Amino acid sequence: MIDALKNLFVTPMRILLVWLEGFWSLLQIVGMGLSALVGSGSLKERLVSRLTTAPAQRAIFAILRAFLPNLALSRVLVKSYENTGTAVVTRGRDVREVLSRDADFEVVYGPRMRRLTEGENFFLGMQPGWEYERDVSDMRLAARRSDVAEIVLPRARKVAEAQVAESGGKLDLPKDLTLQVPWDMTATYFGTGGPSAEAMQDWTTTL
């Protein structure tokens, strides 16, 4: 009963905050568009340079969360795998639902994995099934479950905190964290550092 009464106030407030963030982000995007009217280069180049920045992308997703949380397009925006359209899912609950519905939303990396391995698939490119369970079991033999809490998480946290501390208040998330932390783990935990950090990061993103 108490939770139900609480939700009567909390839910509308959360919705209102999402709408306010969406309106504010829309104003930011309009401002970026207006600022692109002057400057060197073509108008298209100036728009692209402004709208592909991290703040602009955050603003665009805030607008989508507020007004078009699940956007389905017939246009292909992501060409890293075969597809006929694009769906943009922006709210946390909906994203978790997509990730939990394996039968409806398939893993897309299978064909690329086969090209990289010249025919064989890897469990990151598999749907749940016998082969997936077999390969995951092999992986668990190579990496003990207890190592996650005792080695992997503390090391990842240490590297991430160091990157944040050295960022000066601004952080390029893909470059400084989502590439740096996994690369560090391949080098320090698995011992497969490769020829250089740059090469390993490039090979990893090829997936």
Side-chain angles (χ1 to χ4, degrees):
M1 181 65 178
I2 294 176
D3 288 339
L5 292 173
K6 180 180 177 182
N7 288 335
L8 287 175
F9 297 96
V10 173
T11 301
M13 183 59 67
R14 287 179 176 174
I15 294 173
L16 179 60
L17 290 175
V18 170
W19 285 350
L20 290 174
E21 184 184 19
F23 278 118
W24 173 243
S25 298
L26 182 59
L27 291 175
Q28 289 180 301
I29 292 297
V30 170
M32 292 178 190
L34 292 175
S35 69
L37 295 176
V38 295
S40 60
S42 67
L43 176 60
K44 180 179 179 180
E45 290 172 343
R46 294 195 298 270
L47 279 172
V48 170
S49 69
R50 285 162 173 77
L51 297 180
T52 53
T53 62
Q57 292 177 26
R58 286 195 294 267
I60 290 170
F61 272 86
I63 295 168
L64 291 175
R65 275 195 299 273
F67 309 115
L68 291 170
N70 297 316
L71 178 64
L73 304 172
S74 58
R75 183 177 178 181
V76 176
L77 298 181
V78 180
K79 298 181 180 180
S80 59
Y81 54 89
E82 293 297 324
N83 64 94
T84 58
T86 304
V88 183
V89 183
T90 61
R91 291 183 176 173
R93 181 176 60 186
D94 296 332
V95 171
R96 288 190 291 272
E97 181 182 353
V98 168
L99 294 174
S100 68
R101 291 170 55 182
D102 296 321
D104 299 313
F105 301 97
E106 295 186 2
V107 177
V108 299
Y109 303 114
R112 302 189 74 185
M113 291 291 180
R114 293 184 185 281
R115 286 199 298 270
L116 288 170
T117 61
E118 298 182 350
E120 294 295 326
N121 201 351
F122 182 65
F123 72 83
L124 293 179
M126 296 177 183
Q127 288 292 101
W130 183 85
E131 289 184 330
Y132 173 84
E133 294 295 338
R134 178 200 62 196
D135 288 1
V136 169
S137 297
D138 291 340
M139 186 65 185
R140 286 171 178 160
L141 291 175
R144 293 172 298 183
R145 186 182 295 272
S146 60
D147 286 353
V148 174
E150 297 172 4
I151 300 174
V152 175
L153 286 179
R155 176 65 185 180
R157 184 179 295 110
K158 180 180 179 180
V159 173
E161 289 174 350
Q163 293 295 106
V164 172
E166 297 170 4
S167 67
K170 292 185 178 181
L171 191 70
D172 184 338
L173 186 62
K175 178 177 179 294
D176 295 332
L177 281 183
T178 56
L179 288 179
Q180 183 62 31
V181 173
W183 135 251
D184 178 83
M185 293 311 304
T186 62
T188 60
Y189 179 71
F190 290 107
T192 53
S196 67
E198 292 75 15
M200 281 297 292
Q201 290 174 3
D202 182 59
W203 293 348
T204 302
T205 53
T206 300
L207 297 177

